[in-house]
């Protein structure tokens, strides 16, 4: 019996769930539904997919949603519903429980908290519903697949790009603005920055700060603190998202130092591109491949619900089947991903 049939046969208990993202080889599941000859679109009832994400305040999630909906339209019988909880754990629990009670075939969770949402994830499992995590992991439970950008590599990319531009001989003092303490993605980006900086004797992290909620204004304040101690000796800022990078840029601008530093972010937002196009050749961001990330979510949900072979990149140490979204460095000398995301800026 497929997961979809099982989910409908047990009366769907109220439940909650967790996070996903991705990697490199292949694995499988069994027992699929019949498909049209020569086509990709599954035949049968509408497949209902519910996504419980944390926020829409960052544009990456809007592009993720667009990608997932575009892929759903290609299939023709897939309904995908995104509901953000605005970083409120109670709201996210309610969203997941509603998805379960309404008979959704697959549930996607980006948990607000890797511990608090475990019970809901287990309830999804108990109901026989396919479980997908995006971005974050959860403690003690593995989803059917985890879809994400490689956050560790995001941190590595930032530092490697700076070294490529700065060189390995000239000393550089660096600032790191990490995301929320305990947040899986934030911890992985931070680890990537720290370990890559440690590879280069000419680099020194002189200021490190965790920024709660990945907040732009808080990042600006932390950058002001860094400037108060190190002043114009700062050469680079590695921030976990674009908002924090722009907060740091504003603090440096207020001090008249913005032209003497390199700023790195991790989203590729429209405002960042507007600044780059206006002449800010020292702002660089990692595009997380959000649109393709969304497409992967829909594809994985269909594969799981129909019992098709599940395509993924690797199985990691936590026994997560991982699917990695493409990461690309964006700056004045490479705006190709931005031309796809923000065509109106290039008209």
């Amino acid at each position: 019996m497929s997961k979809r049939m099982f989910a409908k046969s047990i009366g769907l208990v109220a439940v909650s769930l967790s996070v996903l993202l991705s990697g490199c080889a292949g694995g499988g599941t069994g027992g699929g539904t019949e498909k049209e000859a020569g086509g990709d679109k599954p035949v049968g009832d509408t497949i209902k997919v519910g996504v419980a994400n944390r926020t829409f305040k960052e544009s990456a999630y809007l592009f993720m949603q667009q990608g997932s909906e575009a892929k759903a339209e290609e299939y023709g019988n897939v309904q995908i519903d995104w509901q953000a909880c605005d970083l409120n754990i109670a709201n996210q629990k309610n969203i997941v429980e509603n998805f379960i009670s309404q008979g959704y075939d697959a549930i996607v969770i980006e948990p607000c908290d890797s511990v608090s949402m475990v019970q809901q994830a287990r309830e999804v499992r108990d109901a026989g519903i396919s479980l997908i995590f995006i971005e974050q992991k959860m403690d003690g439970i593995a989803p059917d697949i985890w879809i994400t950008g490689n956050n560790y590599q995001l941190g590595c990319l930032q530092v490697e790009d700076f070294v490529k531009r700065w060189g390995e001989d000239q000393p550089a003092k660096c600032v790191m603005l990490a995301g929320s303490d305990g947040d899986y993605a934030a911890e992985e980006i931070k680890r990537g920055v720290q370990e890559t900086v440690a590879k280069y004797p000419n680099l020194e992290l002189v200021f490190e700060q965790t920024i709660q909620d990945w907040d732009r204004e808080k990042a600006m304040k932390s950058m002001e603190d860094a400037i108060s101690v190190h002043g114009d000796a700062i050469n680079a800022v590695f921030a976990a998202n674009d908002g924090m990078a722009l907060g740091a840029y504003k603090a440096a601008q207020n001090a008249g130092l913005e032209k003497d530093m390199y700023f790195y972010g991790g989203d590729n937002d429209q405002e960042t591109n507007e600044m780059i196009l206006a002449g800010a050749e020292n702002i660089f961001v990692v595009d997380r491949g959000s649109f393709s990330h969304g497409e992967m979510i829909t594809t994985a949900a269909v594969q799981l619900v129909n019992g098709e072979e599940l395509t993924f990149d690797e199985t990691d140490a936590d026994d997560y089947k991982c699917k990695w979204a493409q990461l690309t460095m964006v700056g004045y000398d490479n705006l190709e991903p931005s031309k796809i995301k923000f065509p109106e800026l290039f008209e």
Side-chain angles (χ1 to χ4, degrees), residues 87 120 140 146 158 171 175 197 203 208 212 214 220 235 254:
L87 304 176
Q120 280 68 35
W146 181 45
Q158 291 182 340
V175 168
V197 165
L203 303 186
E208 302 180 32
Q212 195 60 31
W214 307 54
M220 179 178 169
N235 304 114
N254 290 342

Side-chain angles (χ1 to χ4, degrees), residues 150-166:
N150 190 322
N151 292 293
Y152 175 78
Q153 287 300 321
L154 189 155
C156 297
L157 273 175
Q158 291 182 340
V159 179
E160 294 287 0
D161 187 82
F162 173 67
V163 171
K164 180 182 72 176
R165 299 174 191 281
W166 183 261

Side-chain angles (χ1 to χ4, degrees), residues 150-163 173-179 184-200 203-209 214 236-241 244 263-266 286 288 329:
N150 190 322
N151 292 293
Y152 175 78
Q153 287 300 321
L154 189 155
C156 297
L157 273 175
Q158 291 182 340
V159 179
E160 294 287 0
D161 187 82
F162 173 67
V163 171
K173 295 185 182 298
C174 308
V175 168
M176 181 180 67
L177 301 176
Y184 177 81
E187 294 295 334
E188 284 296 284
I189 295 169
K190 179 169 69 174
R191 186 169 69 90
V193 170
Q194 290 172 331
E195 293 185 3
T196 310
V197 165
K199 289 169 47 179
Y200 295 99
L203 303 186
E204 180 185 5
L205 275 175
V206 297
F207 186 92
E208 302 180 32
Q209 183 62 55
W214 307 54
V237 178
F238 304 117
N241 68 2
M244 291 193 289
F263 298 86
Y264 285 86
V286 178
R288 296 171 183 260
M329 184 61 68

Side-chain angles (χ1 to χ4, degrees), residues 11-329:
L12 297 170
V13 217
V15 183
S16 258
L17 58 63
S18 200
V19 183
L20 60 40
L21 283 157
S22 51
C24 166
T29 59
T33 59
E34 183 182 356
K35 299 177 71 175
E36 292 178 345
D40 293 327
K41 184 167 68 175
V43 174
D45 296 339
T46 297
I47 295 172
K48 295 170 65 179
V49 182
V51 184
N53 65 304
R54 298 196 299 178
T55 181
F56 278 124
K57 291 182 179 179
E58 296 181 25
S59 67
Y61 293 100
L62 296 173
F63 286 106
M64 210 180 291
Q65 179 186 27
Q66 290 171 16
S68 68
E69 291 174 347
K71 181 59 70 174
E73 287 183 13
E74 287 183 26
Y75 279 107
N77 67 330
V78 177
Q79 169 192 331
I80 187 159
D81 298 324
W82 286 68
Q83 294 187 32
C85 66
D86 296 324
L87 304 176
N88 184 299
I89 294 172
N91 287 348
Q92 189 165 58
K93 289 181 177 181
N94 288 335
I95 289 168
V96 173
E97 288 166 359
N98 286 337
F99 284 152
I100 294 167
S101 65
Q102 292 168 20
Y104 278 68
D105 302 293
I107 297 176
V108 181
I109 302 174
E110 181 199 16
C112 278
D113 182 274
S114 62
V115 176
S116 299
M117 293 299 296
V118 169
Q119 178 59 35
Q120 280 68 35
R122 287 182 177 149
E123 289 172 356
V124 173
R125 279 266 190 243
D126 291 344
I129 298 171
S130 297
L131 176 62
I132 296 171
F133 291 170
I134 56 173
E135 299 297 326
Q136 308 292 325
K137 289 186 172 184
M138 282 198 217
D139 293 346
I141 184 168
D144 292 301
I145 190 169
W146 181 45
I147 302 171
T148 185
N150 190 322
N151 292 293
Y152 175 78
Q153 287 300 321
L154 189 155
C156 297
L157 273 175
Q158 291 182 340
V159 179
E160 294 287 0
D161 187 82
F162 173 67
V163 171
K164 180 182 72 176
R165 299 174 191 281
W166 183 261
E168 296 186 37
D169 298 324
Q170 185 178 359
K173 295 185 182 298
C174 308
V175 168
M176 181 180 67
L177 301 176
S180 299
D181 190 35
D183 182 299
Y184 177 81
E187 294 295 334
E188 284 296 284
I189 295 169
K190 179 169 69 174
R191 186 169 69 90
V193 170
Q194 290 172 331
E195 293 185 3
T196 310
V197 165
K199 289 169 47 179
Y200 295 99
N202 64 316
L203 303 186
E204 180 185 5
L205 275 175
V206 297
F207 186 92
E208 302 180 32
Q209 183 62 55
T210 294
I211 309 297
Q212 195 60 31
D213 299 327
W214 307 54
D215 183 76
R216 178 172 179 161
E217 294 302 319
K218 293 173 184 174
M220 179 178 169
K221 177 62 171 65
S222 289
M223 186 62 184
E224 290 171 351
D225 293 341
I227 290 172
S228 71
V229 177
H230 300 285
D232 61 3
I234 298 170
N235 304 114
V237 178
F238 304 117
N241 68 2
D242 281 23
M244 291 193 289
L246 295 184
Y249 184 93
K250 180 63 176 176
Q253 189 176 50
N254 290 342
L257 300 174
E258 80 282 3
K259 294 181 180 179
D260 301 322
M261 303 177 190
Y262 287 77
F263 298 86
Y264 285 86
D267 293 305
N268 194 25
D269 288 341
Q270 181 167 332
E271 183 181 357
T272 312
N273 279 272
E274 289 171 346
M275 292 179 67
I276 293 170
L277 290 170
E281 295 189 354
N282 57 339
I283 297 178
F284 302 91
V285 295
V286 178
D287 186 279
R288 296 171 183 260
S290 302
F291 191 89
S292 63
H293 190 159
E295 293 179 314
M296 292 174 188
I297 291 170
T298 299
T299 298
V302 169
Q303 290 173 341
L304 287 165
V305 172
N306 286 334
E308 301 171 6
E309 182 178 4
L310 181 64
T311 55
F312 59 95
D313 295 318
E314 69 179 12
T315 301
D316 72 5
D318 295 322
D319 202 29
Y320 274 43
K321 292 182 175 67
C322 308
K323 187 73 177 173
W324 304 112
Q326 180 68 44
L327 300 178
T328 308
M329 184 61 68

